[in-house]
mmCIF file of all heavy atoms in Angstrom:
data_model
loop_
_atom_site.group_PDB
_atom_site.id
_atom_site.type_symbol
_atom_site.label_atom_id
_atom_site.label_comp_id
_atom_site.label_asym_id
_atom_site.label_seq_id
_atom_site.Cartn_x
_atom_site.Cartn_y
_atom_site.Cartn_z
ATOM 1 N N ARG T 19 15.420 -30.956 8.342
ATOM 2 C CA ARG T 19 15.961 -31.234 9.639
ATOM 3 C C ARG T 19 17.156 -32.179 9.511
ATOM 4 O O ARG T 19 17.071 -33.222 8.903
ATOM 5 C CB ARG T 19 14.884 -31.883 10.525
ATOM 6 C CG ARG T 19 15.340 -32.305 11.916
ATOM 7 C CD ARG T 19 14.134 -32.765 12.755
ATOM 8 N NE ARG T 19 13.461 -33.884 12.129
ATOM 9 C CZ ARG T 19 13.757 -35.154 12.394
ATOM 10 N NH1 ARG T 19 14.710 -35.448 13.265
ATOM 11 N NH2 ARG T 19 13.059 -36.128 11.822
ATOM 12 N N SER T 20 18.283 -31.799 10.118
ATOM 13 C CA SER T 20 19.530 -32.570 9.921
ATOM 14 C C SER T 20 19.608 -33.770 10.836
ATOM 15 O O SER T 20 19.309 -33.698 12.040
ATOM 16 C CB SER T 20 20.736 -31.663 10.178
ATOM 17 O OG SER T 20 20.837 -30.648 9.201
ATOM 18 N N LEU T 21 19.987 -34.893 10.245
ATOM 19 C CA LEU T 21 20.289 -36.118 10.976
ATOM 20 C C LEU T 21 21.673 -36.585 10.519
ATOM 21 O O LEU T 21 21.950 -36.606 9.298
ATOM 22 C CB LEU T 21 19.260 -37.204 10.706
ATOM 23 C CG LEU T 21 17.858 -36.989 11.246
ATOM 24 C CD1 LEU T 21 16.920 -38.122 10.826
ATOM 25 C CD2 LEU T 21 17.862 -36.857 12.761
ATOM 26 N N LEU T 22 22.522 -36.987 11.449
ATOM 27 C CA LEU T 22 23.885 -37.385 11.127
ATOM 28 C C LEU T 22 24.060 -38.903 11.249
ATOM 29 O O LEU T 22 23.612 -39.508 12.215
ATOM 30 C CB LEU T 22 24.913 -36.693 12.029
ATOM 31 C CG LEU T 22 24.848 -35.160 12.087
ATOM 32 C CD1 LEU T 22 25.982 -34.646 12.970
ATOM 33 C CD2 LEU T 22 24.928 -34.570 10.706
ATOM 34 N N CYS T 23 24.714 -39.453 10.265
ATOM 35 C CA CYS T 23 25.065 -40.882 10.261
ATOM 36 C C CYS T 23 26.570 -40.964 10.392
ATOM 37 O O CYS T 23 27.313 -40.557 9.483
ATOM 38 C CB CYS T 23 24.583 -41.533 8.972
ATOM 39 S SG CYS T 23 25.138 -43.220 8.753
ATOM 40 N N HIS T 24 27.053 -41.499 11.535
ATOM 41 C CA HIS T 24 28.484 -41.609 11.767
ATOM 42 C C HIS T 24 28.732 -42.792 12.709
ATOM 43 O O HIS T 24 27.783 -43.314 13.324
ATOM 44 C CB HIS T 24 29.020 -40.296 12.368
ATOM 45 C CG HIS T 24 28.426 -39.913 13.670
ATOM 46 N ND1 HIS T 24 28.977 -40.262 14.878
ATOM 47 C CD2 HIS T 24 27.294 -39.228 13.968
ATOM 48 C CE1 HIS T 24 28.238 -39.810 15.871
ATOM 49 N NE2 HIS T 24 27.214 -39.182 15.355
ATOM 50 N N PRO T 25 29.986 -43.254 12.854
ATOM 51 C CA PRO T 25 30.258 -44.477 13.577
ATOM 52 C C PRO T 25 29.811 -44.472 15.038
ATOM 53 O O PRO T 25 29.528 -45.539 15.601
ATOM 54 C CB PRO T 25 31.781 -44.625 13.469
ATOM 55 C CG PRO T 25 32.129 -43.892 12.217
ATOM 56 C CD PRO T 25 31.188 -42.751 12.149
ATOM 57 N N LEU T 26 29.768 -43.298 15.658
ATOM 58 C CA LEU T 26 29.371 -43.256 17.079
ATOM 59 C C LEU T 26 27.904 -42.968 17.293
ATOM 60 O O LEU T 26 27.461 -42.860 18.438
ATOM 61 C CB LEU T 26 30.239 -42.187 17.801
ATOM 62 C CG LEU T 26 31.725 -42.417 17.834
ATOM 63 C CD1 LEU T 26 32.439 -41.314 18.580
ATOM 64 C CD2 LEU T 26 32.071 -43.782 18.443
ATOM 65 N N GLY T 27 27.166 -42.807 16.213
ATOM 66 C CA GLY T 27 25.758 -42.516 16.328
ATOM 67 C C GLY T 27 24.885 -43.758 16.192
ATOM 68 O O GLY T 27 25.367 -44.884 15.945
ATOM 69 N N LEU T 28 23.571 -43.580 16.331
ATOM 70 C CA LEU T 28 22.641 -44.665 16.103
ATOM 71 C C LEU T 28 22.657 -45.056 14.638
ATOM 72 O O LEU T 28 22.707 -44.188 13.740
ATOM 73 C CB LEU T 28 21.246 -44.256 16.529
ATOM 74 C CG LEU T 28 21.043 -44.001 18.026
ATOM 75 C CD1 LEU T 28 19.633 -43.486 18.282
ATOM 76 C CD2 LEU T 28 21.293 -45.264 18.822
ATOM 77 N N SER T 29 22.622 -46.317 14.364
ATOM 78 C CA SER T 29 22.689 -46.795 12.979
ATOM 79 C C SER T 29 21.415 -46.430 12.242
ATOM 80 O O SER T 29 20.301 -46.569 12.774
ATOM 81 C CB SER T 29 22.884 -48.306 12.934
ATOM 82 O OG SER T 29 22.764 -48.783 11.618
ATOM 83 N N PRO T 30 21.510 -45.938 10.987
ATOM 84 C CA PRO T 30 20.325 -45.657 10.195
ATOM 85 C C PRO T 30 19.787 -46.889 9.471
ATOM 86 O O PRO T 30 18.765 -46.826 8.809
ATOM 87 C CB PRO T 30 20.834 -44.621 9.185
ATOM 88 C CG PRO T 30 22.241 -45.070 8.928
ATOM 89 C CD PRO T 30 22.748 -45.577 10.252
ATOM 90 N N TRP T 31 20.507 -48.009 9.646
ATOM 91 C CA TRP T 31 20.144 -49.212 8.860
ATOM 92 C C TRP T 31 19.191 -50.087 9.643
ATOM 93 O O TRP T 31 19.254 -50.220 10.874
ATOM 94 C CB TRP T 31 21.421 -49.985 8.489
ATOM 95 C CG TRP T 31 22.435 -49.137 7.838
ATOM 96 C CD1 TRP T 31 23.635 -48.717 8.353
ATOM 97 C CD2 TRP T 31 22.334 -48.548 6.521
ATOM 98 N NE1 TRP T 31 24.265 -47.904 7.459
ATOM 99 C CE2 TRP T 31 23.516 -47.768 6.331
ATOM 100 C CE3 TRP T 31 21.390 -48.580 5.535
ATOM 101 C CZ2 TRP T 31 23.757 -47.072 5.148
ATOM 102 C CZ3 TRP T 31 21.624 -47.874 4.351
ATOM 103 C CH2 TRP T 31 22.795 -47.130 4.188
ATOM 104 N N ARG T 32 18.274 -50.721 8.900
ATOM 105 C CA ARG T 32 17.309 -51.609 9.506
ATOM 106 C C ARG T 32 18.004 -52.824 10.138
ATOM 107 O O ARG T 32 17.615 -53.334 11.155
ATOM 108 C CB ARG T 32 16.296 -52.070 8.448
ATOM 109 C CG ARG T 32 15.219 -53.013 8.981
ATOM 110 C CD ARG T 32 14.296 -53.446 7.838
ATOM 111 N NE ARG T 32 13.646 -52.306 7.223
ATOM 112 C CZ ARG T 32 12.978 -52.381 6.071
ATOM 113 N NH1 ARG T 32 12.936 -53.538 5.395
ATOM 114 N NH2 ARG T 32 12.401 -51.303 5.568
ATOM 115 N N SER T 33 19.075 -53.259 9.470
ATOM 116 C CA SER T 33 19.806 -54.411 9.948
ATOM 117 C C SER T 33 21.256 -54.266 9.540
ATOM 118 O O SER T 33 21.575 -53.586 8.568
ATOM 119 C CB SER T 33 19.218 -55.706 9.364
ATOM 120 O OG SER T 33 20.085 -56.804 9.607
ATOM 121 N N GLU T 34 22.149 -54.875 10.275
ATOM 122 C CA GLU T 34 23.590 -54.868 9.919
ATOM 123 C C GLU T 34 23.911 -55.974 8.932
ATOM 124 O O GLU T 34 25.054 -56.088 8.502
ATOM 125 C CB GLU T 34 24.438 -55.014 11.178
ATOM 126 C CG GLU T 34 24.260 -53.875 12.181
ATOM 127 C CD GLU T 34 24.546 -52.517 11.569
ATOM 128 O OE1 GLU T 34 25.529 -52.382 10.795
ATOM 129 O OE2 GLU T 34 23.805 -51.568 11.871
ATOM 130 N N GLN T 35 22.927 -56.779 8.581
ATOM 131 C CA GLN T 35 23.147 -57.851 7.605
ATOM 132 C C GLN T 35 23.138 -57.300 6.181
ATOM 133 O O GLN T 35 22.230 -56.529 5.824
ATOM 134 C CB GLN T 35 22.048 -58.933 7.747
ATOM 135 C CG GLN T 35 21.992 -59.569 9.126
ATOM 136 C CD GLN T 35 23.294 -60.273 9.498
ATOM 137 O OE1 GLN T 35 23.892 -60.941 8.661
ATOM 138 N NE2 GLN T 35 23.736 -60.104 10.734
ATOM 139 N N ALA T 36 24.092 -57.694 5.365
ATOM 140 C CA ALA T 36 24.181 -57.199 3.980
ATOM 141 C C ALA T 36 22.958 -57.568 3.190
ATOM 142 O O ALA T 36 22.576 -56.866 2.256
ATOM 143 C CB ALA T 36 25.429 -57.771 3.325
ATOM 144 N N SER T 37 22.293 -58.682 3.560
ATOM 145 C CA SER T 37 21.101 -59.117 2.813
ATOM 146 C C SER T 37 19.906 -58.238 3.080
ATOM 147 O O SER T 37 18.878 -58.329 2.369
ATOM 148 C CB SER T 37 20.786 -60.576 3.183
ATOM 149 O OG SER T 37 20.547 -60.675 4.596
ATOM 150 N N ASP T 38 19.981 -57.374 4.090
ATOM 151 C CA ASP T 38 18.846 -56.500 4.423
ATOM 152 C C ASP T 38 19.350 -55.050 4.440
ATOM 153 O O ASP T 38 19.313 -54.365 5.468
ATOM 154 C CB ASP T 38 18.261 -56.890 5.767
ATOM 155 C CG ASP T 38 16.979 -56.104 6.102
ATOM 156 O OD1 ASP T 38 16.345 -55.619 5.135
ATOM 157 O OD2 ASP T 38 16.631 -55.986 7.283
ATOM 158 N N ALA T 39 19.848 -54.587 3.319
ATOM 159 C CA ALA T 39 20.482 -53.252 3.189
ATOM 160 C C ALA T 39 19.416 -52.205 2.976
ATOM 161 O O ALA T 39 19.234 -51.703 1.854
ATOM 162 C CB ALA T 39 21.505 -53.253 2.080
ATOM 163 N N HIS T 40 18.714 -51.869 4.024
ATOM 164 C CA HIS T 40 17.654 -50.848 3.935
ATOM 165 C C HIS T 40 17.766 -49.860 5.074
ATOM 166 O O HIS T 40 18.187 -50.199 6.185
ATOM 167 C CB HIS T 40 16.278 -51.514 3.983
ATOM 168 C CG HIS T 40 15.961 -52.392 2.824
ATOM 169 N ND1 HIS T 40 16.383 -53.724 2.746
ATOM 170 C CD2 HIS T 40 15.300 -52.170 1.654
ATOM 171 C CE1 HIS T 40 15.978 -54.273 1.619
ATOM 172 N NE2 HIS T 40 15.324 -53.344 0.927
ATOM 173 N N LEU T 41 17.389 -48.632 4.768
ATOM 174 C CA LEU T 41 17.318 -47.629 5.819
ATOM 175 C C LEU T 41 16.125 -47.911 6.707
ATOM 176 O O LEU T 41 15.062 -48.343 6.252
ATOM 177 C CB LEU T 41 17.156 -46.226 5.210
ATOM 178 C CG LEU T 41 18.368 -45.633 4.489
ATOM 179 C CD1 LEU T 41 17.958 -44.374 3.743
ATOM 180 C CD2 LEU T 41 19.481 -45.313 5.494
ATOM 181 N N ALA T 42 16.270 -47.659 7.979
ATOM 182 C CA ALA T 42 15.165 -47.752 8.941
ATOM 183 C C ALA T 42 14.395 -46.411 8.856
ATOM 184 O O ALA T 42 14.641 -45.507 9.674
ATOM 185 C CB ALA T 42 15.684 -48.030 10.336
ATOM 186 N N LEU T 43 13.521 -46.298 7.891
ATOM 187 C CA LEU T 43 12.858 -45.025 7.647
ATOM 188 C C LEU T 43 12.070 -44.548 8.835
ATOM 189 O O LEU T 43 11.874 -43.329 9.028
ATOM 190 C CB LEU T 43 11.957 -45.136 6.393
ATOM 191 C CG LEU T 43 12.708 -45.397 5.076
ATOM 192 C CD1 LEU T 43 11.718 -45.508 3.913
ATOM 193 C CD2 LEU T 43 13.702 -44.280 4.798
ATOM 194 N N GLU T 44 11.566 -45.462 9.651
ATOM 195 C CA GLU T 44 10.794 -45.058 10.807
ATOM 196 C C GLU T 44 11.627 -44.277 11.805
ATOM 197 O O GLU T 44 11.100 -43.475 12.584
ATOM 198 C CB GLU T 44 10.167 -46.291 11.482
ATOM 199 C CG GLU T 44 11.137 -47.249 12.123
ATOM 200 C CD GLU T 44 11.772 -48.235 11.159
ATOM 201 O OE1 GLU T 44 11.512 -48.103 9.927
ATOM 202 O OE2 GLU T 44 12.493 -49.121 11.618
ATOM 203 N N ARG T 45 12.956 -44.469 11.772
ATOM 204 C CA ARG T 45 13.842 -43.706 12.655
ATOM 205 C C ARG T 45 14.135 -42.307 12.120
ATOM 206 O O ARG T 45 14.527 -41.428 12.864
ATOM 207 C CB ARG T 45 15.167 -44.418 12.861
ATOM 208 C CG ARG T 45 15.062 -45.803 13.483
ATOM 209 C CD ARG T 45 16.423 -46.428 13.649
ATOM 210 N NE ARG T 45 16.342 -47.886 13.805
ATOM 211 C CZ ARG T 45 17.386 -48.694 13.657
ATOM 212 N NH1 ARG T 45 18.563 -48.221 13.343
ATOM 213 N NH2 ARG T 45 17.199 -50.014 13.820
ATOM 214 N N LEU T 46 13.981 -42.142 10.813
ATOM 215 C CA LEU T 46 14.304 -40.855 10.210
ATOM 216 C C LEU T 46 13.205 -39.836 10.363
ATOM 217 O O LEU T 46 13.455 -38.642 10.479
ATOM 218 C CB LEU T 46 14.633 -41.040 8.722
ATOM 219 C CG LEU T 46 15.737 -42.009 8.359
ATOM 220 C CD1 LEU T 46 16.009 -41.981 6.863
ATOM 221 C CD2 LEU T 46 17.026 -41.701 9.138
ATOM 222 N N GLY T 47 11.936 -40.280 10.322
ATOM 223 C CA GLY T 47 10.833 -39.360 10.354
ATOM 224 C C GLY T 47 10.236 -39.189 8.963
ATOM 225 O O GLY T 47 10.664 -39.820 7.976
ATOM 226 N N GLU T 48 9.208 -38.349 8.871
ATOM 227 C CA GLU T 48 8.468 -38.157 7.647
ATOM 228 C C GLU T 48 9.118 -37.077 6.761
ATOM 229 O O GLU T 48 9.923 -36.297 7.207
ATOM 230 C CB GLU T 48 7.041 -37.730 7.971
ATOM 231 C CG GLU T 48 6.254 -38.749 8.803
ATOM 232 C CD GLU T 48 6.080 -40.055 8.081
ATOM 233 O OE1 GLU T 48 5.914 -40.000 6.842
ATOM 234 O OE2 GLU T 48 6.072 -41.115 8.727
ATOM 235 N N GLY T 49 8.713 -37.090 5.501
ATOM 236 C CA GLY T 49 9.112 -36.034 4.565
ATOM 237 C C GLY T 49 10.182 -36.461 3.619
ATOM 238 O O GLY T 49 10.770 -37.527 3.725
ATOM 239 N N PRO T 50 10.435 -35.612 2.607
ATOM 240 C CA PRO T 50 11.480 -35.886 1.628
ATOM 241 C C PRO T 50 12.864 -35.919 2.281
ATOM 242 O O PRO T 50 13.098 -35.231 3.292
ATOM 243 C CB PRO T 50 11.350 -34.749 0.629
ATOM 244 C CG PRO T 50 10.721 -33.634 1.399
ATOM 245 C CD PRO T 50 9.805 -34.292 2.371
ATOM 246 N N VAL T 51 13.775 -36.675 1.678
ATOM 247 C CA VAL T 51 15.107 -36.871 2.239
ATOM 248 C C VAL T 51 16.165 -36.346 1.283
ATOM 249 O O VAL T 51 16.257 -36.806 0.148
ATOM 250 C CB VAL T 51 15.372 -38.340 2.578
ATOM 251 C CG1 VAL T 51 16.764 -38.520 3.180
ATOM 252 C CG2 VAL T 51 14.299 -38.896 3.524
ATOM 253 N N LEU T 52 16.950 -35.398 1.731
ATOM 254 C CA LEU T 52 18.133 -34.941 1.026
ATOM 255 C C LEU T 52 19.318 -35.712 1.582
ATOM 256 O O LEU T 52 19.557 -35.670 2.798
ATOM 257 C CB LEU T 52 18.346 -33.449 1.218
ATOM 258 C CG LEU T 52 19.708 -32.858 0.773
ATOM 259 C CD1 LEU T 52 19.907 -33.037 -0.723
ATOM 260 C CD2 LEU T 52 19.839 -31.397 1.184
ATOM 261 N N VAL T 53 20.032 -36.451 0.739
ATOM 262 C CA VAL T 53 21.148 -37.274 1.191
ATOM 263 C C VAL T 53 22.463 -36.578 0.812
ATOM 264 O O VAL T 53 22.686 -36.243 -0.361
ATOM 265 C CB VAL T 53 21.110 -38.684 0.542
ATOM 266 C CG1 VAL T 53 22.312 -39.509 0.963
ATOM 267 C CG2 VAL T 53 19.824 -39.398 0.949
ATOM 268 N N GLN T 54 23.330 -36.381 1.820
ATOM 269 C CA GLN T 54 24.662 -35.839 1.601
ATOM 270 C C GLN T 54 25.677 -36.845 2.123
ATOM 271 O O GLN T 54 25.651 -37.199 3.298
ATOM 272 C CB GLN T 54 24.843 -34.494 2.325
ATOM 273 C CG GLN T 54 23.916 -33.388 1.828
ATOM 274 C CD GLN T 54 24.280 -32.042 2.453
ATOM 275 O OE1 GLN T 54 25.287 -31.454 2.082
ATOM 276 N NE2 GLN T 54 23.455 -31.592 3.380
ATOM 277 N N LEU T 55 26.569 -37.279 1.253
ATOM 278 C CA LEU T 55 27.542 -38.324 1.599
ATOM 279 C C LEU T 55 28.953 -37.762 1.539
ATOM 280 O O LEU T 55 29.432 -37.329 0.471
ATOM 281 C CB LEU T 55 27.410 -39.509 0.637
ATOM 282 C CG LEU T 55 26.037 -40.182 0.550
ATOM 283 C CD1 LEU T 55 26.070 -41.309 -0.477
ATOM 284 C CD2 LEU T 55 25.582 -40.709 1.890
ATOM 285 N N PHE T 56 29.620 -37.755 2.668
ATOM 286 C CA PHE T 56 31.029 -37.360 2.722
ATOM 287 C C PHE T 56 31.828 -38.681 2.700
ATOM 288 O O PHE T 56 32.052 -39.315 3.735
ATOM 289 C CB PHE T 56 31.320 -36.581 3.998
ATOM 290 C CG PHE T 56 30.719 -35.201 4.013
ATOM 291 C CD1 PHE T 56 29.415 -34.984 4.339
ATOM 292 C CD2 PHE T 56 31.510 -34.101 3.661
ATOM 293 C CE1 PHE T 56 28.855 -33.704 4.343
ATOM 294 C CE2 PHE T 56 30.991 -32.804 3.678
ATOM 295 C CZ PHE T 56 29.654 -32.624 4.000
ATOM 296 N N LEU T 57 32.283 -39.064 1.533
ATOM 297 C CA LEU T 57 33.020 -40.328 1.326
ATOM 298 C C LEU T 57 34.210 -40.055 0.414
ATOM 299 O O LEU T 57 34.047 -39.630 -0.707
ATOM 300 C CB LEU T 57 32.100 -41.356 0.640
ATOM 301 C CG LEU T 57 31.043 -42.071 1.514
ATOM 302 C CD1 LEU T 57 29.963 -42.686 0.639
ATOM 303 C CD2 LEU T 57 31.713 -43.123 2.375
ATOM 304 N N ARG T 58 35.415 -40.307 0.934
ATOM 305 C CA ARG T 58 36.579 -40.033 0.110
ATOM 306 C C ARG T 58 37.694 -41.054 0.225
ATOM 307 O O ARG T 58 38.658 -40.993 -0.524
ATOM 308 C CB ARG T 58 37.131 -38.633 0.384
ATOM 309 C CG ARG T 58 37.499 -38.362 1.829
ATOM 310 C CD ARG T 58 38.401 -37.141 1.956
ATOM 311 N NE ARG T 58 39.771 -37.453 1.573
ATOM 312 C CZ ARG T 58 40.659 -36.503 1.266
ATOM 313 N NH1 ARG T 58 40.319 -35.245 1.242
ATOM 314 N NH2 ARG T 58 41.883 -36.823 0.950
ATOM 315 N N GLY T 59 37.614 -41.967 1.140
ATOM 316 C CA GLY T 59 38.745 -42.866 1.386
ATOM 317 C C GLY T 59 39.697 -42.202 2.369
ATOM 318 O O GLY T 59 40.376 -41.232 2.021
ATOM 319 N N ASN T 60 39.709 -42.659 3.582
ATOM 320 C CA ASN T 60 40.542 -42.086 4.620
ATOM 321 C C ASN T 60 41.334 -43.186 5.321
ATOM 322 O O ASN T 60 40.887 -44.327 5.411
ATOM 323 C CB ASN T 60 39.708 -41.348 5.658
ATOM 324 C CG ASN T 60 39.284 -39.960 5.179
ATOM 325 O OD1 ASN T 60 40.068 -39.253 4.565
ATOM 326 N ND2 ASN T 60 38.027 -39.611 5.411
ATOM 327 N N PRO T 61 42.544 -42.855 5.833
ATOM 328 C CA PRO T 61 43.344 -43.875 6.517
ATOM 329 C C PRO T 61 42.623 -44.507 7.681
ATOM 330 O O PRO T 61 41.773 -43.868 8.331
ATOM 331 C CB PRO T 61 44.564 -43.063 7.013
ATOM 332 C CG PRO T 61 44.639 -41.914 6.056
ATOM 333 C CD PRO T 61 43.230 -41.584 5.721
ATOM 334 N N PHE T 62 42.929 -45.750 7.935
ATOM 335 C CA PHE T 62 42.450 -46.514 9.074
ATOM 336 C C PHE T 62 40.983 -46.976 8.966
ATOM 337 O O PHE T 62 40.477 -47.610 9.876
ATOM 338 C CB PHE T 62 42.620 -45.747 10.405
ATOM 339 C CG PHE T 62 44.051 -45.453 10.749
ATOM 340 C CD1 PHE T 62 44.560 -44.194 10.534
ATOM 341 C CD2 PHE T 62 44.871 -46.442 11.258
ATOM 342 C CE1 PHE T 62 45.884 -43.928 10.826
ATOM 343 C CE2 PHE T 62 46.177 -46.181 11.589
ATOM 344 C CZ PHE T 62 46.698 -44.908 11.360
ATOM 345 N N ARG T 63 40.308 -46.681 7.860
ATOM 346 C CA ARG T 63 38.920 -47.099 7.752
ATOM 347 C C ARG T 63 38.780 -48.413 6.988
ATOM 348 O O ARG T 63 37.716 -49.066 7.034
ATOM 349 C CB ARG T 63 38.098 -46.019 7.040
ATOM 350 C CG ARG T 63 37.943 -44.752 7.913
ATOM 351 C CD ARG T 63 36.900 -43.818 7.369
ATOM 352 N NE ARG T 63 35.597 -44.455 7.255
ATOM 353 C CZ ARG T 63 34.764 -44.602 8.260
ATOM 354 N NH1 ARG T 63 35.090 -44.218 9.483
ATOM 355 N NH2 ARG T 63 33.570 -45.189 8.065
ATOM 356 N N GLY T 64 39.841 -48.843 6.304
ATOM 357 C CA GLY T 64 39.807 -50.124 5.603
ATOM 358 C C GLY T 64 38.650 -50.194 4.642
ATOM 359 O O GLY T 64 38.435 -49.296 3.813
ATOM 360 N N GLU T 65 37.870 -51.283 4.713
ATOM 361 C CA GLU T 65 36.779 -51.493 3.776
ATOM 362 C C GLU T 65 35.409 -51.048 4.341
ATOM 363 O O GLU T 65 34.372 -51.331 3.754
ATOM 364 C CB GLU T 65 36.700 -52.991 3.422
ATOM 365 C CG GLU T 65 37.950 -53.490 2.706
ATOM 366 C CD GLU T 65 37.810 -54.941 2.285
ATOM 367 O OE1 GLU T 65 36.720 -55.526 2.534
ATOM 368 O OE2 GLU T 65 38.746 -55.488 1.707
#
């Protein structure tokens, strides 16, 4: 089942604090997770 992580969506992270860099698994649901990352460096995104 597809879930999208993008700037206008609900955050998949448990916290926005760098010290708590964990996925909020309870928001994702049960079962194995296939992770697909579209990351390439694009203008205006900075760091």
Side-chain angles (χ1 to χ4, degrees):
R19 177 172 60 92
S20 294
L21 293 177
L22 304 184
C23 173
H24 61 93
L26 298 181
L28 294 175
S29 172
W31 308 109
R32 180 182 300 167
S33 167
E34 298 303 319
Q35 301 299 319
S37 58
D38 187 22
H40 294 84
L41 288 170
L43 294 179
E44 67 277 6
R45 299 180 200 164
L46 303 185
E48 300 296 326
V51 180
L52 168 63
V53 177
Q54 298 188 73
L55 304 178
F56 289 82
L57 283 163
R58 56 163 283 162
N60 282 318
F62 297 102
R63 291 192 58 81
E65 297 184 1

